[in-house]
Structure formats: C-alpha cells, structure tokens
Amino acid sequence: MSIVGMKLDKLLKRRAIIWLLLAVNIPGTIYGYIWYGNQLAYTAAHYPSWLLPFVPDSPTASLFFTLALILLLYPPKTMAGMAARALIEALAVVTSVKYGIWAVAIILAGGYQGGTIGWQDWMLISSHAGMAVEALLYARFFICRRMLPLALLWTLLNDTVDYSWGVYPWLPKALADDVPQVQTFTFLLTLISAAFAWLASAGINSRRPKLK
C-alpha cells in the first residue's frame, strides 16, 4: 500500500471521522424516508402492504451503511452478531453504490431529455454520489465479503419487485416513457455494484487497522 493509501486508511478509521459520517448519514437517512413519504402513502393506498419495504430504496441503503458504521465502532462479539454484521455491511456496500450511482444517472438522464434540474436535484446528486463513494472507501474495513452473494440476491429481488409491481422510485417526467430502459439499467447496475463491492473489499482480513 502506498503512503497516501496508508494515511487515508488511518484517517478513515479515526472514530471522530466515523462519528462525523454518522452525524451526516443519520439525518440524511431520516430525510430520505420523508422524501419517499408521498410514494409510501400512494403504495399503501393502492398496493399490498408487504410491498412497502421495497419502496424507499436509497434511504434503506443509507440505513444499512449507517448501521455498518455503528457496528464498526462497536463490533459484536458473538458468532451470530458477526454474521449479522457481515450481512449488514454487504447490503450497505452493494445498495449504497447501486442507488448512489442510479440516482445520479437518472436525474442527469432526465435533464438530458429535457427535464429541469433544480437545486433539490443537485442536492440529491451530491448526496447520492457521496453514498457511493463512502461505501467504496469503507468496504475494505468491513468483513462483508462472504455475505456479498446474499446482498446481491436481495438487491436483485428488490429490483424484480420494483419493476414487476411498479413500485420502483418515481422517475423524472422526461423518463416516463423509458421505463424498460431504466429497468435494464437498474438490473445491470446491481451486478456492477456487486462487482465493485467485491473488488473494494479485497484484502480486508489481514490488514484491518484499529480504530483511533
């Protein structure tokens, strides 16, 4: 590892930095669920209730990452706890990378096709790009690799439910006639995100620096 990489690892593993990320991600996650409020209400009124957990994709990804940071600060001691931690971390990396990139791409695609990109959209672009970046940066500190296949299966299931039942995130109006293309992009992005997660988590078992 290069000197720059070692310094970056040391910085990212500082408890103060992790707490700073929690201070950003916790309210961001809450805001994300509020953002999905209208779609959740619409889904509750028109679809079976079991579909509700599949609606708020990005805030759930942020929730997984938030939990992963907490478990990094306070790792469980039991085998069951370690297994749960690994699964949460795997879900955190795969879904944060996937929905981080997805939201940026969809907003920009809507703008490219004539939609308006306002300040809220730019806020979403920056926050979702941050989701993907932080997940990739912290993946090498996680113990998630053996659980990545399960995280991939869950995310593919989520995609299948979204586009089979029509509960995918509401798209910009400019993309209303592009749902089949968005669906294909979404499934491909899930596979790509899982591959990114696998590569980013390489080599974590032998070199996991201690928290400062």
Side-chain angles (χ1 to χ4, degrees), residues 32-46 52 55 170:
Y33 283 108
I34 294 172
W35 179 273
Y36 272 88
N38 289 336
Q39 187 172 355
L40 285 166
Y42 181 86
T43 302
H46 296 88
L52 288 173
V55 173
W170 287 344

Side-chain angles (χ1 to χ4, degrees), residues 57-58 61 89-105 128-129 131-137 139-140 142 144-145 147-156 158-159 184-202:
D57 294 331
S58 292
E89 290 175 347
L91 288 166
V93 178
V94 173
T95 60
S96 293
V97 172
K98 184 261 183 77
Y99 292 115
I101 297 173
W102 186 92
V104 173
H128 282 79
M131 282 176 56
V133 170
E134 66 183 4
L136 289 173
L137 286 174
R140 62 185 179 275
F142 293 159
C144 63
R145 217 169 195 231
M147 291 294 189
L148 286 175
L150 284 179
L152 171 60
L153 289 175
W154 164 259
T155 310
L156 288 172
N158 191 61
D159 294 343
T184 300
F185 170 70
T186 300
F187 276 91
L188 288 175
L189 187 56
T190 294
L191 299 176
I192 293 170
S193 299
F196 282 165
W198 181 267
L199 294 173
S201 62

Side-chain angles (χ1 to χ4, degrees), residues 55-210:
V55 173
D57 294 331
S58 292
T60 300
S62 180
L63 176 62
F64 284 139
F65 187 76
T66 298
L67 292 174
L69 289 180
I70 293 172
L71 292 171
L72 191 61
L73 288 171
Y74 304 103
K77 307 299 182 182
T78 65
M79 290 295 293
M82 293 292 284
R85 172 188 173 183
L87 180 57
I88 289 171
E89 290 175 347
L91 288 166
V93 178
V94 173
T95 60
S96 293
V97 172
K98 184 261 183 77
Y99 292 115
I101 297 173
W102 186 92
V104 173
I106 292 301
I107 293 171
L108 293 178
Y112 178 79
Q113 294 202 25
T116 300
I117 300 181
W119 69 268
Q120 285 186 319
D121 298 303
W122 289 112
M123 177 193 70
L124 291 173
I125 287 173
S126 61
S127 62
H128 282 79
M131 282 176 56
V133 170
E134 66 183 4
L136 289 173
L137 286 174
Y138 275 86
R140 62 185 179 275
F141 303 138
F142 293 159
I143 59 171
C144 63
R145 217 169 195 231
R146 66 183 183 273
M147 291 294 189
L148 286 175
L150 284 179
L152 171 60
L153 289 175
W154 164 259
T155 310
L156 288 172
L157 172 63
N158 191 61
D159 294 343
T160 302
V161 171
D162 276 358
Y163 291 93
S164 296
W165 288 81
V167 293
Y168 50 84
W170 287 344
L171 301 172
K173 291 181 179 179
L175 299 181
D177 57 348
D178 295 314
V179 174
Q181 292 84 354
V182 172
Q183 177 180 348
T184 300
F185 170 70
T186 300
F187 276 91
L188 288 175
L189 187 56
T190 294
L191 299 176
I192 293 170
S193 299
F196 282 165
W198 181 267
L199 294 173
S201 62
I204 59 176
N205 294 323
S206 60
R207 295 184 290 101
R208 295 182 66 233
K210 294 181 180 180

